[in-house]
Amino acid sequence: MMKRFNIAVIAGDGIGPEVIAEGKKVFDGIAKMDGNFSVTFEDFPWGCEYYLKTGEMMPADGLDILKAFDAVYLGAVGYPGVPDHISLGGLLLQIRRGFDEYINLRPVRLLKGAPCPLADVSIDDINMIVVRENSEGEYANVGAHLYPGTEREMALQTGVFSRHGCERVIRYAYELARRENRSLTSISKGNALRYSMVFWDEIFAEIGREYPDVETHSLLVDAASMFFVKDPKRFEIVVTSNLFGDILTDLGAAIAGGMGLAAGANLNPERKYPSMFEPIHGSAPDIAGQGIANPLASIWSISQMLDFLGEKVWAERVLSAIETLLVERRTLTPDLGGSAKTSEIGAAILEILER
Ligand code: NAD
Ligand code: IPM
Ligand code: MN
Protein backbone atom coordinates (compact mmCIF):
# COMPACT_ATOMS: atom_id res chain seq x y z
CA MET A 1 0.00 0.00 0.00
CA MET A 2 1.21 3.42 -0.91
CA LYS A 3 1.92 5.61 2.10
CA ARG A 4 0.37 9.01 2.03
CA PHE A 5 1.56 11.96 4.09
CA ASN A 6 -0.92 14.74 4.80
CA ILE A 7 0.84 17.94 5.65
CA ALA A 8 -0.81 21.10 6.94
CA VAL A 9 0.96 24.19 5.64
CA ILE A 10 0.93 27.53 7.40
CA ALA A 11 3.17 29.66 5.22
CA GLY A 12 2.44 32.72 7.37
CA ASP A 13 3.92 36.16 6.94
CA GLY A 14 6.70 38.01 5.14
CA ILE A 15 9.17 35.63 3.54
CA GLY A 16 7.24 32.66 4.98
CA PRO A 17 5.29 31.92 1.77
CA GLU A 18 8.39 32.48 -0.39
CA VAL A 19 10.54 29.92 1.43
CA ILE A 20 7.75 27.40 2.09
CA ALA A 21 6.97 27.16 -1.64
CA GLU A 22 10.47 25.79 -2.22
CA GLY A 23 10.23 23.23 0.58
CA LYS A 24 6.95 21.96 -0.86
CA LYS A 25 8.53 21.59 -4.29
CA VAL A 26 11.28 19.48 -2.78
CA PHE A 27 8.94 17.18 -0.83
CA ASP A 28 6.67 16.85 -3.87
CA GLY A 29 9.57 16.00 -6.15
CA ILE A 30 10.89 13.43 -3.69
CA ALA A 31 7.52 11.71 -3.47
CA LYS A 32 7.49 11.41 -7.27
CA MET A 33 11.07 10.06 -7.37
CA ASP A 34 10.42 7.57 -4.60
CA GLY A 35 7.12 6.23 -5.87
CA ASN A 36 6.31 4.47 -2.59
CA PHE A 37 4.70 7.41 -0.88
CA SER A 38 2.72 10.44 -1.83
CA VAL A 39 2.31 13.79 -0.15
CA THR A 40 -0.61 16.18 -0.05
CA PHE A 41 -0.44 19.68 1.29
CA GLU A 42 -3.35 21.66 2.63
CA ASP A 43 -2.66 25.37 2.90
CA PHE A 44 -4.04 27.47 5.71
CA PRO A 45 -4.00 31.24 5.18
CA TRP A 46 -3.43 31.99 8.87
CA GLY A 47 -1.18 34.81 9.97
CA CYS A 48 -1.10 38.58 10.22
CA GLU A 49 -3.18 39.34 7.12
CA TYR A 50 -5.77 36.87 8.33
CA TYR A 51 -5.73 38.66 11.68
CA LEU A 52 -6.31 42.05 10.09
CA LYS A 53 -9.35 40.62 8.30
CA THR A 54 -10.83 38.44 11.04
CA GLY A 55 -9.42 39.64 14.36
CA GLU A 56 -7.75 36.32 15.07
CA MET A 57 -4.53 34.68 13.94
CA MET A 58 -6.25 31.37 13.28
CA PRO A 59 -9.81 30.17 13.77
CA ALA A 60 -10.86 29.16 17.28
CA ASP A 61 -10.87 25.51 16.24
CA GLY A 62 -7.48 25.83 14.50
CA LEU A 63 -5.79 23.17 16.59
CA ASP A 64 -8.67 20.73 16.01
CA ILE A 65 -8.24 21.24 12.28
CA LEU A 66 -4.49 20.68 12.42
CA LYS A 67 -4.78 17.61 14.62
CA ALA A 68 -5.75 15.40 11.70
CA PHE A 69 -2.46 15.96 9.83
CA ASP A 70 0.76 13.97 9.93
CA ALA A 71 2.79 17.15 10.40
CA VAL A 72 2.61 20.92 10.22
CA TYR A 73 4.96 22.87 7.94
CA LEU A 74 5.28 26.49 9.02
CA GLY A 75 7.01 29.45 7.39
CA ALA A 76 7.15 32.46 9.68
CA VAL A 77 4.76 34.45 11.81
CA GLY A 78 4.82 38.15 12.68
CA TYR A 79 4.71 41.34 10.67
CA PRO A 80 4.79 45.08 11.32
CA GLY A 81 1.21 46.22 11.85
CA VAL A 82 0.29 43.47 14.29
CA PRO A 83 2.00 43.46 17.69
CA ASP A 84 4.36 40.48 17.94
CA HIS A 85 2.93 39.21 21.21
CA ILE A 86 -0.49 38.95 19.53
CA SER A 87 0.69 37.31 16.33
CA LEU A 88 3.08 34.84 17.92
CA GLY A 89 0.90 34.19 20.95
CA GLY A 90 -2.09 33.57 18.68
CA LEU A 91 -0.47 31.11 16.31
CA LEU A 92 3.07 29.73 16.61
CA LEU A 93 3.21 29.52 20.40
CA GLN A 94 -0.37 28.22 20.55
CA ILE A 95 0.58 25.32 18.34
CA ARG A 96 3.80 24.52 20.23
CA ARG A 97 1.98 24.53 23.54
CA GLY A 98 -1.35 23.12 22.40
CA PHE A 99 0.29 20.15 20.68
CA ASP A 100 2.73 19.68 23.56
CA GLU A 101 5.68 19.97 21.19
CA TYR A 102 8.04 20.06 24.11
CA ILE A 103 11.19 19.25 22.17
CA ASN A 104 12.65 21.87 19.86
CA LEU A 105 15.43 20.15 17.96
CA ARG A 106 17.76 22.63 16.32
CA PRO A 107 20.84 21.38 14.52
CA VAL A 108 23.75 23.82 14.53
CA ARG A 109 25.90 22.22 11.90
CA LEU A 110 28.30 23.86 9.50
CA LEU A 111 27.67 22.20 6.17
CA LYS A 112 30.39 21.86 3.57
CA GLY A 113 30.47 25.03 1.51
CA ALA A 114 28.52 27.15 4.03
CA PRO A 115 30.07 30.45 5.09
CA CYS A 116 31.41 30.79 8.62
CA PRO A 117 32.48 34.07 10.20
CA LEU A 118 34.81 32.37 12.69
CA ALA A 119 38.53 32.08 12.06
CA ASP A 120 40.24 28.70 11.93
CA VAL A 121 37.24 26.41 12.15
CA SER A 122 36.49 23.42 9.99
CA ILE A 123 33.15 21.73 9.41
CA ASP A 124 33.94 19.17 12.12
CA ASP A 125 34.20 21.94 14.69
CA ILE A 126 30.57 23.07 14.40
CA ASN A 127 28.29 20.09 14.60
CA MET A 128 25.87 20.15 17.48
CA ILE A 129 22.21 19.50 18.15
CA VAL A 130 20.52 21.93 20.48
CA VAL A 131 17.61 20.40 22.37
CA ARG A 132 15.56 23.38 23.44
CA GLU A 133 12.76 23.04 25.97
CA ASN A 134 9.71 24.20 24.04
CA SER A 135 6.65 24.12 26.26
CA GLU A 136 7.25 26.09 29.45
CA GLY A 137 10.19 27.80 31.18
CA GLU A 138 10.52 31.49 30.46
CA TYR A 139 7.83 31.15 27.76
CA ALA A 140 5.10 29.94 30.12
CA ASN A 141 2.26 32.27 29.47
CA VAL A 142 2.00 33.48 33.06
CA GLY A 143 2.17 37.05 34.24
CA ALA A 144 0.35 40.28 34.72
CA HIS A 145 0.45 43.92 33.82
CA LEU A 146 -0.80 45.72 36.89
CA TYR A 147 -1.97 49.26 37.54
CA PRO A 148 -1.41 50.49 33.97
CA GLY A 149 -1.11 54.20 33.64
CA THR A 150 -0.47 54.76 37.33
CA GLU A 151 2.70 55.29 39.31
CA ARG A 152 2.41 51.75 40.58
CA GLU A 153 2.43 50.25 37.09
CA MET A 154 4.30 46.95 36.91
CA ALA A 155 4.75 43.88 34.77
CA LEU A 156 5.25 40.39 36.11
CA GLN A 157 6.44 37.50 33.97
CA THR A 158 6.78 34.17 35.68
CA GLY A 159 8.99 31.33 34.54
CA VAL A 160 7.54 27.87 35.00
CA PHE A 161 9.95 24.98 35.47
CA SER A 162 7.98 21.89 36.36
CA ARG A 163 9.69 18.65 37.36
CA HIS A 164 7.75 16.89 34.60
CA GLY A 165 8.75 19.53 32.04
CA CYS A 166 12.44 19.56 32.96
CA GLU A 167 12.76 15.81 33.28
CA ARG A 168 11.27 14.99 29.91
CA VAL A 169 13.45 17.35 27.90
CA ILE A 170 16.59 16.46 29.82
CA ARG A 171 15.88 12.76 29.49
CA TYR A 172 15.29 13.19 25.76
CA ALA A 173 18.71 14.83 25.47
CA TYR A 174 20.43 12.08 27.45
CA GLU A 175 18.83 9.45 25.24
CA LEU A 176 19.98 11.30 22.13
CA ALA A 177 23.52 11.65 23.50
CA ARG A 178 23.63 7.95 24.39
CA ARG A 179 22.29 6.88 21.00
CA GLU A 180 24.76 9.03 19.13
CA ASN A 181 27.61 8.40 21.57
CA ARG A 182 28.20 12.12 21.98
CA SER A 183 28.70 14.35 24.98
CA LEU A 184 25.84 16.30 26.53
CA THR A 185 26.13 19.90 27.72
CA SER A 186 23.45 21.50 29.87
CA ILE A 187 23.27 25.29 29.64
CA SER A 188 21.58 27.17 32.46
CA LYS A 189 22.04 30.05 34.85
CA GLY A 190 21.83 28.75 38.40
CA ASN A 191 24.12 31.44 39.79
CA ALA A 192 21.48 34.12 39.29
CA LEU A 193 18.14 32.34 38.78
CA ARG A 194 18.30 30.54 42.05
CA TYR A 195 14.99 28.74 41.92
CA SER A 196 14.30 27.72 38.34
CA MET A 197 17.82 27.14 37.09
CA VAL A 198 19.07 25.53 40.28
CA PHE A 199 16.15 23.10 39.95
CA TRP A 200 17.11 22.48 36.31
CA ASP A 201 20.73 21.78 37.29
CA GLU A 202 19.64 19.36 40.02
CA ILE A 203 17.43 17.44 37.61
CA PHE A 204 20.23 17.36 35.03
CA ALA A 205 22.54 15.78 37.63
CA GLU A 206 19.83 13.46 38.94
CA ILE A 207 18.92 12.00 35.56
CA GLY A 208 22.59 11.82 34.69
CA ARG A 209 23.00 9.06 37.28
CA GLU A 210 20.94 6.83 34.99
CA TYR A 211 23.33 7.58 32.12
CA PRO A 212 26.82 6.96 33.52
CA ASP A 213 27.99 6.24 29.96
CA VAL A 214 27.19 9.79 28.78
CA GLU A 215 29.92 12.40 29.18
CA THR A 216 28.33 15.57 30.59
CA HIS A 217 29.20 19.23 31.00
CA SER A 218 27.31 22.10 32.63
CA LEU A 219 27.83 25.68 31.55
CA LEU A 220 26.38 29.00 32.52
CA VAL A 221 24.66 30.61 29.56
CA ASP A 222 26.94 33.64 29.48
CA ALA A 223 30.07 31.53 29.27
CA ALA A 224 28.37 29.17 26.84
CA SER A 225 27.65 32.08 24.46
CA MET A 226 31.32 32.97 24.56
CA PHE A 227 32.32 29.36 23.81
CA PHE A 228 29.83 29.15 20.89
CA VAL A 229 32.10 31.71 19.25
CA LYS A 230 35.52 30.86 20.67
CA ASP A 231 35.33 27.07 20.86
CA PRO A 232 32.18 25.62 19.27
CA LYS A 233 33.85 22.22 18.99
CA ARG A 234 33.20 21.53 22.66
CA PHE A 235 29.44 21.28 22.03
CA GLU A 236 27.87 18.07 20.77
CA ILE A 237 24.39 17.57 22.21
CA VAL A 238 23.17 20.64 24.09
CA VAL A 239 20.11 20.85 26.33
CA THR A 240 18.77 24.16 27.55
CA SER A 241 15.72 26.14 28.52
CA ASN A 242 13.22 27.73 26.17
CA LEU A 243 14.59 31.28 26.13
CA PHE A 244 18.26 30.36 26.26
CA GLY A 245 17.67 27.89 23.44
CA ASP A 246 15.99 30.58 21.38
CA ILE A 247 18.89 32.99 21.76
CA LEU A 248 21.68 30.45 21.45
CA THR A 249 20.28 29.03 18.21
CA ASP A 250 20.28 32.42 16.47
CA LEU A 251 23.92 32.63 17.57
CA GLY A 252 24.29 29.08 16.30
CA ALA A 253 22.83 30.15 12.95
CA ALA A 254 25.30 33.00 12.78
CA ILE A 255 28.29 30.66 13.11
CA ALA A 256 26.84 27.97 10.84
CA GLY A 257 25.92 29.65 7.57
CA GLY A 258 23.41 32.28 8.64
CA MET A 259 19.68 32.56 9.30
CA GLY A 260 18.91 31.18 5.86
CA LEU A 261 20.36 27.81 6.87
CA ALA A 262 18.96 27.19 10.35
CA ALA A 263 16.10 24.72 10.75
CA GLY A 264 14.13 23.50 13.72
CA ALA A 265 11.69 20.72 14.55
CA ASN A 266 9.01 21.15 17.20
CA LEU A 267 8.41 17.60 18.30
CA ASN A 268 5.76 15.84 20.28
CA PRO A 269 7.82 12.65 20.64
CA GLU A 270 4.84 10.57 21.77
CA ARG A 271 3.09 11.44 18.49
CA LYS A 272 -0.12 12.17 20.30
CA TYR A 273 -0.24 15.39 18.28
CA PRO A 274 1.35 16.43 15.00
CA SER A 275 4.86 17.84 15.16
CA MET A 276 5.73 21.10 13.43
CA PHE A 277 8.69 21.85 11.19
CA GLU A 278 9.95 25.34 10.43
CA PRO A 279 12.99 27.44 9.72
CA ILE A 280 14.08 29.20 12.92
CA HIS A 281 14.18 32.61 11.25
CA GLY A 282 11.29 35.05 11.24
CA SER A 283 9.35 36.80 8.52
CA ALA A 284 12.30 39.06 7.63
CA PRO A 285 10.25 42.18 6.74
CA ASP A 286 13.46 43.84 5.55
CA ILE A 287 13.69 41.51 2.53
CA ALA A 288 10.11 40.23 2.18
CA GLY A 289 8.52 40.39 -1.26
CA GLN A 290 11.82 40.69 -3.11
CA GLY A 291 12.21 37.01 -3.92
CA ILE A 292 15.69 36.87 -2.41
CA ALA A 293 15.11 35.02 0.88
CA ASN A 294 17.15 31.88 1.33
CA PRO A 295 14.81 28.86 1.51
CA LEU A 296 17.49 26.34 2.52
CA ALA A 297 16.45 26.45 6.18
CA SER A 298 12.91 25.57 5.11
CA ILE A 299 14.24 22.81 2.91
CA TRP A 300 16.35 21.53 5.82
CA SER A 301 13.08 21.47 7.83
CA ILE A 302 11.68 19.16 5.16
CA SER A 303 14.66 16.90 5.83
CA GLN A 304 13.77 16.92 9.53
CA MET A 305 10.15 16.20 8.66
CA LEU A 306 11.09 13.27 6.43
CA ASP A 307 13.24 11.90 9.23
CA PHE A 308 10.37 12.15 11.72
CA LEU A 309 7.98 10.55 9.23
CA GLY A 310 10.33 7.58 8.94
CA GLU A 311 11.88 8.44 5.55
CA LYS A 312 15.41 8.53 6.93
CA VAL A 313 17.23 7.90 3.67
CA TRP A 314 15.50 10.85 2.00
CA ALA A 315 16.17 12.99 5.05
CA GLU A 316 19.91 12.34 4.62
CA ARG A 317 19.75 12.87 0.86
CA VAL A 318 18.10 16.26 1.21
CA LEU A 319 20.81 17.39 3.60
CA SER A 320 23.56 16.24 1.31
CA ALA A 321 21.82 17.90 -1.65
CA ILE A 322 21.91 21.18 0.30
CA GLU A 323 25.61 20.58 0.88
CA THR A 324 26.21 19.94 -2.82
CA LEU A 325 24.35 23.12 -3.72
CA LEU A 326 26.56 25.06 -1.30
CA VAL A 327 29.76 23.52 -2.59
CA GLU A 328 28.93 24.00 -6.28
CA ARG A 329 27.91 27.64 -5.68
CA ARG A 330 25.91 27.84 -8.90
CA THR A 331 22.46 28.54 -7.47
CA LEU A 332 22.65 30.49 -4.22
CA THR A 333 20.65 33.40 -2.84
CA PRO A 334 22.35 36.75 -2.12
CA ASP A 335 22.87 36.06 1.61
CA LEU A 336 25.23 33.29 0.51
CA GLY A 337 26.95 35.43 -2.11
CA GLY A 338 24.89 34.28 -5.09
CA SER A 339 22.37 35.97 -7.33
CA ALA A 340 19.69 33.29 -7.54
CA LYS A 341 16.08 33.93 -6.68
CA THR A 342 14.31 32.09 -3.88
CA SER A 343 12.10 30.45 -6.48
CA GLU A 344 15.07 28.78 -8.22
CA ILE A 345 16.34 26.87 -5.19
CA GLY A 346 13.73 24.09 -4.93
CA ALA A 347 14.33 23.03 -8.52
CA ALA A 348 18.11 23.20 -8.05
CA ILE A 349 17.86 20.86 -5.05
CA LEU A 350 15.67 18.46 -7.01
CA GLU A 351 18.11 18.50 -9.91
CA ILE A 352 20.88 17.43 -7.52
CA LEU A 353 18.66 14.73 -6.01
CA GLU A 354 17.90 13.37 -9.46
CA ARG A 355 21.54 12.92 -10.44
P1 NAD B 1 14.22 37.49 11.30
O1 NAD B 1 14.75 36.12 11.54
O2 NAD B 1 12.96 37.59 10.53
O3 NAD B 1 15.33 38.35 10.54
C1 NAD B 1 16.61 38.62 11.09
C2 NAD B 1 17.59 38.96 9.95
O4 NAD B 1 17.91 37.75 9.25
C3 NAD B 1 17.01 39.93 8.93
O5 NAD B 1 18.03 40.78 8.48
C4 NAD B 1 16.57 39.01 7.79
O6 NAD B 1 16.57 39.62 6.52
C5 NAD B 1 17.58 37.88 7.87
N1 NAD B 1 16.98 36.62 7.41
C6 NAD B 1 16.09 35.85 8.11
N2 NAD B 1 15.73 34.80 7.40
C7 NAD B 1 16.40 34.87 6.22
C8 NAD B 1 16.43 34.06 5.07
N3 NAD B 1 15.70 32.94 4.97
N4 NAD B 1 17.21 34.43 4.03
C9 NAD B 1 17.95 35.54 4.10
N5 NAD B 1 17.98 36.36 5.19
C10 NAD B 1 17.19 36.02 6.24
O7 NAD B 1 14.09 38.17 12.73
P2 NAD B 1 13.39 39.56 13.16
O8 NAD B 1 13.66 40.59 12.13
O9 NAD B 1 13.81 39.77 14.53
O10 NAD B 1 11.84 39.23 13.18
C11 NAD B 1 10.91 39.58 12.16
C12 NAD B 1 9.54 39.09 12.54
O11 NAD B 1 9.49 37.67 12.57
C13 NAD B 1 9.07 39.54 13.92
O12 NAD B 1 7.70 39.76 13.85
C14 NAD B 1 9.37 38.34 14.80
O13 NAD B 1 8.57 38.27 15.95
C15 NAD B 1 9.04 37.21 13.85
N6 NAD B 1 9.73 35.94 14.11
C16 NAD B 1 9.02 34.81 13.83
C17 NAD B 1 9.62 33.58 13.94
C18 NAD B 1 8.84 32.36 13.59
O14 NAD B 1 7.78 32.44 13.02
N7 NAD B 1 9.32 31.17 13.89
C19 NAD B 1 10.95 33.48 14.32
C20 NAD B 1 11.65 34.65 14.60
C21 NAD B 1 11.04 35.87 14.48
C1 IPM C 1 11.89 31.08 17.26
C2 IPM C 1 11.21 32.42 17.40
C3 IPM C 1 10.06 32.36 18.39
C4 IPM C 1 10.61 31.89 19.73
C5 IPM C 1 9.32 33.68 18.54
C6 IPM C 1 8.87 34.21 17.23
C7 IPM C 1 8.19 33.60 19.53
O1 IPM C 1 12.14 33.40 17.75
O2 IPM C 1 11.22 30.11 16.91
O3 IPM C 1 13.10 31.00 17.50
O4 IPM C 1 11.15 32.73 20.48
O5 IPM C 1 10.51 30.72 20.03
MN1 MN D 1 14.18 32.71 17.72
Side-chain angles (χ1 to χ4, degrees):
M1 248 255 295
M2 178 117 141
K3 262 184 292 178
R4 183 197 181 103
F5 298 122
N6 291 313
I7 311 300
V9 180
I10 305 171
D13 307 313
I15 62 169
E18 303 171 37
V19 296
I20 286 298
E22 300 311 293
K24 285 164 78 179
K25 279 183 205 166
V26 170
F27 200 155
D28 243 339
I30 285 175
K32 292 200 177 84
M33 275 182 250
D34 185 277
N36 290 310
F37 61 83
S38 66
V39 60
T40 49
F41 299 107
E42 189 168 337
D43 293 284
F44 295 94
W46 305 340
C48 287
E49 268 177 50
Y50 185 89
Y51 176 86
L52 293 173
K53 277 185 237 143
T54 66
E56 43 190 14
M57 289 295 293
M58 66 172 162
D61 61 349
L63 290 186
D64 281 334
I65 296 171
L66 295 178
K67 220 171 176 167
F69 290 85
D70 295 307
V72 179
Y73 188 37
L74 185 133
V77 180
Y79 215 70
V82 181
D84 270 350
H85 67 276
I86 291 179
S87 56
L88 277 313
L91 188 51
L92 177 78
L93 297 175
Q94 288 267 349
I95 298 172
R96 286 184 187 164
R97 281 195 293 257
F99 284 167
D100 205 16
E101 293 167 345
Y102 62 90
I103 299 296
N104 195 182
L105 215 55
R106 296 188 159 185
V108 175
R109 173 168 162 197
L110 184 63
L111 297 181
K112 257 183 253 159
C116 177
L118 306 182
D120 304 322
V121 293
S122 72
I123 55 166
D124 301 323
D125 297 336
I126 303 181
N127 186 2
M128 54 179 122
I129 299 177
V130 177
V131 181
R132 168 190 179 192
E133 203 292 319
N134 210 33
S135 64
E136 53 169 39
E138 308 87 341
Y139 281 48
N141 204 13
V142 181
H145 181 182
L146 299 174
Y147 315 120
T150 74
E151 277 180 359
R152 293 187 297 160
E153 183 165 14
M154 63 179 83
L156 306 176
Q157 184 98 40
T158 302
V160 172
F161 289 74
S162 66
R163 173 167 282 280
H164 175 67
C166 296
E167 278 186 0
R168 62 185 184 173
V169 65
I170 288 171
R171 189 175 293 285
Y172 184 97
Y174 270 107
E175 287 289 331
L176 183 60
R178 171 177 278 174
R179 204 162 57 239
E180 301 207 343
N181 193 22
R182 302 179 83 199
S183 69
L184 175 61
T185 300
S186 164
I187 298 177
S188 63
K189 185 69 186 171
N191 56 354
L193 305 181
R194 53 176 290 187
Y195 301 104
S196 56
M197 292 290 172
V198 171
F199 189 48
W200 173 282
D201 290 343
E202 282 169 9
I203 293 174
F204 182 69
E206 219 173 278
I207 295 185
R209 282 179 223 122
E210 295 171 42
Y211 297 83
D213 50 311
V214 175
E215 176 190 329
T216 61
H217 305 274
S218 284
L219 284 176
L220 296 162
V221 67
D222 43 359
S225 313
M226 179 273 293
F227 284 131
F228 259 54
V229 174
K230 300 291 270 187
D231 186 22
K233 195 180 172 60
R234 67 166 63 215
F235 299 101
E236 295 188 338
I237 309 297
V238 170
V239 65
T240 191
S241 70
N242 209 332
L243 179 62
F244 294 171
D246 174 47
I247 299 167
L248 286 170
T249 52
D250 262 37
L251 181 55
I255 62 170
M259 291 310 287
L261 267 168
N266 304 272
L267 303 180
N268 174 250
E270 291 76 25
R271 297 174 193 258
K272 183 170 174 200
Y273 304 102
S275 292
M276 176 165 67
F277 300 81
E278 53 164 349
I280 81 163
H281 62 71
S283 60
D286 54 342
I287 57 165
Q290 300 176 34
I292 56 168
N294 183 353
L296 290 175
S298 290
I299 293 171
W300 193 330
S301 314
I302 289 290
S303 164
Q304 289 193 299
M305 192 190 296
L306 285 161
D307 184 70
F308 195 72
L309 293 172
E311 300 298 332
K312 309 227 177 255
V313 173
W314 280 113
E316 272 308 311
R317 283 187 193 153
V318 170
L319 209 52
S320 70
I322 294 175
E323 216 160 36
T324 303
L325 190 85
L326 292 167
V327 169
E328 292 181 350
R329 301 199 57 79
R330 278 189 299 171
T331 316
L332 296 177
T333 45
D335 58 308
L336 295 175
S339 57
K341 290 285 182 189
T342 312
S343 57
E344 296 173 55
I345 306 298
I349 291 286
L350 285 175
E351 186 271 317
I352 293 168
L353 286 169
E354 269 157 8
R355 284 180 198 167

